[in-house]
Amino acid sequence: MEKEPRRLVFGATSVICLLVLPLLYAEFFALNPVPFDRSRDSLEMVGMTHLSNLSVSISSRKFGKGEEENKSLKSLLRRLVRGEDLTKLEATGFACDSAIHSVVCIANQPVRIDTHTMTVHAPSDQPMVPGRSVVRPYARQDDDNLLKTITPVNILHGNITPPACHYTHNVPAVIFSSSGFTGNLFHEFNEIIIPLFITTRHFKSNVLFILIDYRPWFVSKYHRIFSRLSQYEVMNPAANISVHCFPGAVVGLKYHDNLAINSSEIPGGYSMPDFKEFLRKSYNLKIKNVSEIERPVLVLISRRKTRMFLNEDEMIGMMKELGFQVVVTTRPNRMSNLNRFSKVVNSGSVLVGAHGAGLANELFLSAGAVMVQVMPLGLDWPANAFYGNPAREMGVHYLEYKIEPEESSLLKLYGRDHPVIVDPDSIFAKGYQAGRAVYLDQQNMKINLVRFRETLVEALRLTGRLAPSS
């Protein structure tokens, strides 16, 4: 008789465990959402069963419920096209906006995206002959060789029979690539980050990004930007081989110009100052105007391979004599950590560097700060097009220091009368790679301190300060 109570207790405990375990299971997965870079097998393991005839909602219901929500979504999507493209979008539910540098295709009706084949199925409720478009979603459409590195997205539209949904989302998809020239800060901002802002800011984070040619380091590097433009984790389609259903889609990103935003051509009328404010909030940058900096700080971008300053120590000494607190960037990978480096640049009154990708950090300068570009021989056009002209639109003062032949290492290599020195255009006429090999990859500089001092004195003046008397 003494063993009977123990059996009762054991039985009651088993029942309680069976009741509690499902609650613990549900609580665990409520606190641990499934990341989009997991494979479909792992999705099944954690309870998101793959059922061809069952739609599982894994995005919040911002759009897709009711007529008003559908109208709102269509209104947002239609802002991305104009003229005949807009007429076509409204008539058929699908249209592409083609420009010199970018192609953007929009579907304002439900689509199904097969991530195994990267095919967007965009059926129309209008009688249409089935059509097919192929887009390589990267903002350098004029570079055929580069486009070969971008995974193509196939778009089937018109009277088609789409595949069954595996997962259903209730916000539109935006598809773009992280291939191309990633690894170079200028190209990352110029061809991906700024175009992404142009294309998606007006959705107010109610979009889901599908990143083809997915690079984990790139997603990590720009996590703060992605998380402000979308409230959902970036999807890696190669790790989510399924059919995902969306109420609409955008394939490709709109591009305006080098580090530029044309407010008259962007949904919502955003401008470059708006983008800089967006960056300031994304990276929690404290300084909004250069007048807030108590002591003038000069951030010097130090190069260690090409376009080096051969007398850098003497340059730094002269900068300090002018009253600058000098911050030298020496580690090659320091600028890859934007969370930290953006704050370094934002704290600076003046940013100085030779022509190169590091000057794209001018995006983090406060209003009224100064960017000084040291222009090597033969690089007048790219210096102005990539960094000089954009700086002026950012609310940043721009100064350039154009070196003389005597300051270039090329003079010793080729001689004063060589075309490399006297006629750079003739070198670039042989092709970009010929010009690059000489002026970008082979050139270093020994700066004339007397001449360069005059440029820095002007930089001080532009920030509202005077140089100490000699």
Side-chain angles (χ1 to χ4, degrees):
M1 293 296 293
E2 292 178 358
K3 293 182 178 180
E4 187 66 17
R6 292 181 182 178
R7 285 199 300 270
L8 289 172
V9 170
F10 177 79
T13 302
S14 300
V15 171
I16 292 171
C17 287
L18 289 172
L19 291 172
V20 170
L21 279 173
L23 296 175
L24 292 174
Y25 179 88
E27 180 67 15
F28 175 81
F29 285 109
L31 296 174
N32 295 275
V34 181
F36 284 130
D37 61 354
R38 292 189 182 180
S39 67
R40 186 171 66 188
D41 291 340
S42 66
L43 288 175
E44 293 171 352
M45 290 175 62
V46 296
M48 296 189 65
T49 308
H50 171 71
L51 297 173
S52 61
N53 295 318
L54 177 65
S55 296
V56 181
S57 177
I58 56 176
S59 299
S60 70
R61 296 184 174 275
K62 295 293 182 183
F63 298 108
K65 284 201 336 180
E67 185 177 350
E68 289 303 317
E69 287 81 357
N70 286 331
K71 286 182 178 179
S72 175
L73 173 58
K74 288 188 175 183
S75 174
L76 293 172
L77 290 166
R78 73 191 299 273
R79 295 185 191 180
L80 295 171
V81 287
R82 292 182 176 185
E84 293 181 0
D85 295 328
L86 176 56
T87 301
K88 183 177 179 181
L89 178 67
E90 293 181 333
T92 68
F94 177 79
C96 292
D97 172 50
S98 297
I100 296 175
H101 297 290
S102 61
V103 175
V104 181
C105 293
I106 299 101
N108 67 358
Q109 295 186 5
V111 300
R112 302 185 183 190
I113 301 176
D114 185 341
T115 57
H116 177 60
T117 60
M118 273 320 299
T119 300
V120 178
H121 300 265
S124 175
D125 54 10
Q126 301 296 321
M128 290 177 58
V129 176
R132 177 175 179 266
S133 301
V134 179
V135 176
R136 295 179 185 268
Y138 189 78
R140 287 291 291 265
Q141 295 293 309
D142 55 328
D143 191 331
D144 293 335
N145 289 328
L146 175 66
L147 288 182
K148 293 175 183 177
T149 70
I150 309 297
T151 297
V153 177
N154 296 287
I155 307 172
L156 304 180
H157 45 88
N159 289 333
I160 61 173
T161 302
C165 293
H166 299 142
Y167 304 107
T168 298
H169 308 261
N170 294 286
V171 294
V174 176
I175 303 174
F176 60 102
S177 171
S178 64
S179 186
F181 288 129
T182 49
N184 178 297
L185 186 71
F186 168 79
H187 290 290
E188 288 168 0
F189 270 99
N190 189 57
E191 287 126 48
I192 301 178
I193 301 304
I194 293 177
L196 187 65
F197 177 87
I198 292 172
T199 307
T200 67
R201 180 59 171 166
H202 67 293
F203 287 98
K204 300 188 183 301
S205 80
N206 294 316
V207 288
L208 192 152
F209 298 147
I210 300 178
L211 186 63
I212 61 175
D213 307 311
Y214 186 97
R215 297 180 176 181
W217 67 264
F218 181 79
V219 175
S220 176
K221 181 176 181 178
Y222 292 102
H223 169 73
R224 293 197 178 199
I225 288 176
F226 292 141
S227 63
R228 287 188 71 86
L229 290 175
S230 171
Q231 58 185 301
Y232 307 106
E233 192 168 349
V234 177
M235 180 188 291
N236 176 8
N240 287 270
I241 300 176
S242 316
V243 177
H244 293 258
C245 296
F246 295 88
V250 179
V251 182
L253 303 175
K254 296 184 75 68
Y255 176 87
H256 288 168
D257 205 345
N258 294 316
L259 298 182
I261 294 176
N262 185 341
S263 60
S264 66
E265 296 182 8
I266 181 173
Y270 297 110
S271 63
M272 179 51 71
D274 292 322
F275 178 70
K276 288 195 64 178
E277 179 66 12
F278 169 82
L279 289 180
R280 196 178 71 84
K281 291 180 178 178
S282 297
Y283 291 100
N284 195 27
L285 305 180
K286 302 299 184 183
I287 300 173
K288 196 169 184 178
N289 191 284
V290 71
S291 61
E292 300 170 31
I293 302 173
E294 293 184 4
R295 178 185 174 187
V297 177
L298 187 150
V299 179
L300 176 64
I301 299 176
S302 176
R303 300 180 62 90
R304 288 294 177 261
K305 291 184 179 180
T306 65
R307 286 157 279 150
M308 295 186 296
F309 295 129
L310 299 177
N311 58 337
E312 186 172 283
D313 288 343
E314 290 85 351
M315 291 172 63
I316 294 171
M318 182 264 289
M319 292 167 178
K320 290 180 177 179
E321 288 175 1
L322 287 174
F324 284 109
Q325 175 185 340
V326 181
V327 178
V328 183
T329 65
T330 55
R331 291 180 293 175
N333 63 348
R334 186 179 182 185
M335 284 184 283
S336 65
N337 187 334
L338 288 184
N339 295 344
R340 295 179 182 176
F341 195 76
S342 61
K343 293 178 174 61
V344 172
V345 176
N346 181 248
S347 69
S349 313
V350 179
L351 176 67
V352 175
H355 173 76
L359 292 181
N361 284 288
E362 63 186 347
L363 287 161
F364 301 113
L365 287 171
S366 61
V370 181
M371 195 273 276
V372 178
Q373 177 172 207
V374 177
M375 188 186 297
L377 286 184
L379 298 177
D380 296 33
W381 181 85
N384 280 302
F386 297 163
Y387 305 108
N389 295 335
R392 299 179 181 99
E393 299 299 321
M394 296 177 191
V396 171
H397 296 293
Y398 172 66
L399 297 174
E400 64 184 30
Y401 176 82
K402 187 175 180 179
I403 72 167
E404 300 288 348
E406 291 77 13
E407 297 170 87
S408 173
S409 62
L410 297 178
L411 183 65
K412 185 176 181 180
L413 288 173
Y414 292 95
R416 181 173 296 279
D417 298 326
H418 195 280
V420 164
I421 303 300
V422 298
D423 190 11
D425 288 345
S426 69
I427 306 301
F428 278 103
K430 299 176 183 179
Y432 170 75
Q433 292 303 326
R436 177 186 177 89
V438 174
Y439 298 106
L440 287 172
D441 299 339
Q442 202 175 24
Q443 183 171 198
N444 295 312
M445 296 163 290
K446 185 176 181 179
I447 300 302
N448 182 320
L449 297 183
V450 175
R451 285 208 314 125
F452 191 53
R453 186 182 190 278
E454 296 174 0
T455 302
L456 294 185
V457 168
E458 176 63 9
L460 272 173
R461 187 190 69 78
L462 290 172
T463 62
R465 301 173 186 272
L466 297 176
S469 56
S470 300

